[in-house]
């Protein structure tokens, strides 16, 4: 599909975080657009305030956004120690553009980014999209279990 642009942000995405920068480093209310994308297409990430999104970006080592013109159509981020462990978070593609390979582009860009490339283990958690990740080389872990701290709302 023509006109899709992928941005690999600097760690913490300062331009997106503080100035809402999009493609070409132009201000485009990017943070509000991210909030809307997550509210609409990422059921686990609804209702995050822009203040919290800023903190979330600041705490992320690798951040990818996908744009069609001034529209934010895809997003993904990762936390990583750069050597041993990385975790992918908040992978999303706008509903009308799903199924065109953009999710794959976001994952490939995350995995190829300097902060993740070469890391010993890459984890992710998914509720509904296991099949998508299996297409991209992830597998269900049988040797480890996911544990959640009790008494947390989320
Ligand atoms: C999951 C999501 C990111 C996938 O993005 P996408 O752009 O639709 O996926 P792609 O078109 O890049 O698909 C890549 C491959 O995975 C396959 N695939 C996509 N979704 C799949 C699914 N649910 N089950 C099995 N395979 C799937 C595609 O067929 C494609 O395979 P191919 O290359 O052999 O044709 C997107 O559908 C989305 O944002 N969903 C809502 C939010 C969400 O659930 N995110 C995951 C949170 S953990």
């Amino acid at each position: 599909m023509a006109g899709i642009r992928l941005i690999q942000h600097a760690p913490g995405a300062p331009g997106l975080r503080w100035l809402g920068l999009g493609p070409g480093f132009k201000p485009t209310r990017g943070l509000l657009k991210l909030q809307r994308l997550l509210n609409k297409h990422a059921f686990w990430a609804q209702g995050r305030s822009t203040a919290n999104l800023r903190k979330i970006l600041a705490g992320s080592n690798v951040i990818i956004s996908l744009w069609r013109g001034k529209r934010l159509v895809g997003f993904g981020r990762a936390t990583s120690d750069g050597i041993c462990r990385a975790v992918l978070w908040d992978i999303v593609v706008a509903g009308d553009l799903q199924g065109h390979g953009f999710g794959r582009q976001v994952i490939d860009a995350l995995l190829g980014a300097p902060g993740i490339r070469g890391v010993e283990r890459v984890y992710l958690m998914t509720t509904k999209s296991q099949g998508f990740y299996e297409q991209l080389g992830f597998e269900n872990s049988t040797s480890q279990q996911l544990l959640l701290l009790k008494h947390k709302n989320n």
Side-chain angles (χ1 to χ4, degrees):
M1 194 174 290
I4 297 283
R5 193 143 166 208
L6 183 144
I7 299 181
Q8 185 179 306
H9 296 266
L16 176 62
R17 186 155 44 100
W18 292 116
L19 304 170
L21 297 189
F25 298 102
K26 293 197 182 113
T28 174
R29 296 171 175 256
L31 204 62
L32 285 172
K33 289 177 181 175
L34 176 59
Q35 188 183 40
R36 259 183 252 137
L37 183 75
L38 294 174
N39 277 343
K40 203 161 170 201
H41 302 289
F43 66 88
W44 65 93
Q46 287 167 347
R48 293 180 183 172
S49 66
T50 50
N52 279 347
L53 285 174
R54 278 203 181 95
K55 290 181 187 164
I56 287 165
L57 289 173
S60 302
N61 311 73
V62 183
I63 298 148
I64 299 294
S65 61
L66 210 58
W67 300 79
R68 190 177 195 191
K70 288 184 180 174
R71 183 182 170 209
L72 178 65
V73 295
F75 180 80
R77 66 183 182 92
T79 48
S80 172
D81 59 27
I83 303 290
C84 296
R85 301 287 186 263
V87 189
L88 310 191
W89 305 103
D90 297 337
I91 312 297
V92 60
V93 171
D96 58 320
L97 292 176
Q98 289 173 9
H100 293 277
F102 297 131
R104 179 188 290 274
Q105 277 187 39
V106 171
I107 298 291
D108 285 349
L110 286 168
L111 297 180
I116 300 192
R117 212 174 35 219
V119 166
E120 201 178 296
R121 281 190 173 208
V122 180
Y123 296 90
L124 65 84
M125 281 145 260
T126 183
T127 310
K128 299 179 181 172
S129 301
Q130 183 174 339
F132 165 68
Y133 293 109
E134 282 173 349
Q135 293 279 325
L136 304 184
F138 288 83
E139 62 183 2
N140 201 19
S141 167
T142 49
S143 59
Q144 293 184 305
Q145 291 185 322
L146 177 69
L147 300 190
L148 271 178
L149 185 61
K150 284 193 277 187
H151 310 308
K152 288 272 181 190
N153 294 328
N154 299 313

